[in-house]
């Protein structure tokens, strides 16, 4: 990025990526795809009629559960950037409500995976939904034995901004991108984990991980 003419401290435009993963309850494997510009999607063959009926009952139960429980704050006091993570949760749910969607609930397991993702990108100096070894967040979910019907990931990379602005900048950037916005307001997810990491040069990596 070029230095602004007025020579103020460089503030790179945030890099944003969105990723959507979906897996049928009746299929253990999904086809993965990533698109740096927008959103990558995967799909599975439609389940059979009995399976579809069962899945609809499951989704209804999940929605009832979500509606019955209050928004759970991010219990991440031990996380170095827990305040940023909780701010992103709050902003995400505020936006979901503004769009007529139910809020998502904080999930500690998803937060741990999201932090691992951000830390890995910071440590190995890459920015992608696909890790250098070919793994993705889909693989990380499987390694943690997380059972899900849909998973969605937004990531952002920010440099040159104070910590107090990171949650706002990342969330606003996701909202302005159609692919990221689709993940923010998706109705096939009910849980969210957020992870933030900082590289030695001051670059921040932020990961949103939604699942159902």
């Amino acid at each position: 990025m070029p230095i602004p003419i007025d020579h103020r401290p460089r503030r790179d435009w945030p890099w944003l990526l969105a990723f959507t993963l979906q897996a049928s309850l009746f299929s253990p494997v999904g086809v993965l795809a990533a698109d740096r510009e927008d959103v990558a999607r995967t799909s599975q063959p439609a389940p059979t009629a009995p399976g579809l009926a069962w899945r609809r009952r499951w989704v209804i139960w999940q929605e009832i559960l979500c509606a019955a429980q209050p928004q759970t704050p991010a219990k991440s006091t031990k996380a170095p950037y827990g305040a940023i993570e909780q701010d992103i949760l709050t902003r995400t749910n505020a936006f979901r409500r503004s769009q007529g969607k139910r809020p998502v609930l904080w999930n500690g397991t998803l937060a741990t995976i999201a932090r691992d993702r951000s830390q890995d990108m910071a440590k190995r100096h890459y920015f992608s939904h696909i890790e250098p070894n070919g793994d993705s967040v889909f693989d990380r979910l499987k390694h943690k034995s997380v059972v899900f019907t849909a998973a969605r990931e937004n990531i952002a990379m920010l440099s040159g901004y104070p910590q107090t602005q990171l949650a706002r900048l990342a969330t606003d950037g996701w909202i302005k991108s159609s692919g990221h916005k689709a993940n923010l307001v998706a109705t096939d997810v009910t849980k969210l984990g957020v992870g933030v990491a900082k590289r030695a040069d001051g670059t921040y990596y932020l990961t949103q991980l939604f699942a159902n």
Side-chain angles (χ1 to χ4, degrees), residues 77-89:
T77 54
K78 294 183 179 180
Y81 304 108
I84 301 172
E85 296 168 0
Q86 183 162 356
D87 195 0
I88 290 175
L89 169 69

Side-chain angles (χ1 to χ4, degrees), residues 77-200:
T77 54
K78 294 183 179 180
Y81 304 108
I84 301 172
E85 296 168 0
Q86 183 162 356
D87 195 0
I88 290 175
L89 169 69
T90 300
R91 291 174 182 274
T92 297
N93 278 333
F95 181 67
R96 286 179 67 90
R97 290 190 183 96
S98 74
Q99 303 297 302
K101 311 300 181 184
R102 289 187 173 90
V104 288
L105 302 177
W106 179 263
N107 183 272
T109 300
L110 296 181
T112 297
I113 297 172
R115 290 179 193 132
D116 288 345
R117 283 278 294 126
S118 292
Q119 291 166 5
D120 188 59
M121 288 188 285
K123 181 179 179 180
R124 295 202 275 179
H125 291 210
Y126 73 95
F127 182 63
S128 172
H129 294 290
I130 305 300
E131 300 173 14
N133 62 356
D135 284 350
S136 71
V137 70
F138 185 69
D139 298 293
R140 287 181 180 265
L141 287 166
K142 290 196 296 182
H143 295 160
K144 291 287 186 179
S145 300
V146 176
V147 178
F148 63 96
T149 57
R152 296 169 177 267
E153 180 185 67
N154 284 341
I155 60 177
M157 183 173 63
L158 291 161
S159 179
Y161 296 94
Q163 287 189 26
T164 54
Q165 296 184 25
L166 296 181
R168 177 183 61 81
L169 290 168
T171 306
D172 287 352
W174 289 328
I175 290 172
K176 293 175 182 177
S177 165
S178 60
H180 302 85
K181 180 180 177 181
N183 286 345
L184 289 172
V185 300
T187 58
D188 59 354
V189 292
T190 57
K191 298 176 287 188
L192 172 65
V194 181
V196 180
K198 182 182 179 181
R199 206 166 66 186

